[in-house]
Amino acid sequence: MRVDDTLSLRPATDADAELISGWTQAPEVHEGWGGTPLSVAEVLAKYTGRRAPRVASYLVVEGAEPVGYLQAWQDESACGLDLFIAAPAQGRGIGPRVARALAVALDALGWRPLTVDPAVGNERAVRAWQAAGFVMTGQQGVDHGRPTHLMVFGGG
């Protein structure tokens, strides 16, 4: 999926497992993504397409270089996005751009409400999701034992 002139999404595959695992070794990534680095085996089990069609796994690509991971998930009662950008690519606005593009596409397909759940205290993630078009609901949840903010996509 082409996002803009420099960014695209492509399906993550088993060949990407070491790369994705490597990204999660950086504290800037794993502190916001479950709290601990992921092994290659964990990545293969959950982040390279094995949970399709319930979870769609994508690599975020800038030019020809993979720079992050984005997944869209859906179950009987909810749907949402999860995202991280590799530490060296953070701070360039990549996350909000790819998240918004996928959210608009999923919203057009009827994925509603489309949610995200950044950790309470992760203001950088909250700002990024807001830049992508998500708004606070005032509700909180729990993910990996940590409190989260519930945000919903505001639409096109």
Side-chain angles (χ1 to χ4, degrees), residues 83-154:
L83 165 74
F84 69 78
I85 301 300
Q90 291 180 4
R92 301 199 309 247
I94 293 169
R97 288 163 45 206
V98 297
R100 181 170 187 76
L102 186 56
V104 166
L106 294 174
D107 185 70
L109 293 173
W111 284 44
R112 292 186 197 102
L114 185 60
T115 63
V116 296
D117 61 346
V120 170
N122 189 346
E123 295 308 312
R124 184 175 184 181
V126 169
R127 287 190 306 273
W129 287 118
Q130 287 171 328
F134 288 81
V135 296
M136 291 285 201
T137 64
Q139 298 176 324
Q140 290 190 338
V142 176
D143 187 27
H144 293 95
R146 299 182 303 174
T148 62
H149 295 290
L150 183 62
M151 301 176 74
V152 65
F153 186 61

Side-chain angles (χ1 to χ4, degrees), residues 27-96:
E28 302 92 330
V29 173
H30 73 250
E31 287 173 359
W33 189 269
T36 59
L38 299 172
S39 69
V40 171
E42 289 171 304
V43 171
L44 285 168
K46 293 179 71 175
Y47 304 107
T48 61
R50 292 200 174 133
R51 296 184 296 161
R54 195 177 71 75
V55 178
S57 300
Y58 301 99
L59 280 193
V60 177
V61 180
E62 183 180 39
E65 184 73 24
V67 295
Y69 176 82
L70 175 61
Q71 69 182 21
W73 57 269
Q74 194 174 35
D75 63 26
E76 302 78 32
S77 60
C79 51
L81 300 180
D82 297 297
L83 165 74
F84 69 78
I85 301 300
Q90 291 180 4
R92 301 199 309 247
I94 293 169

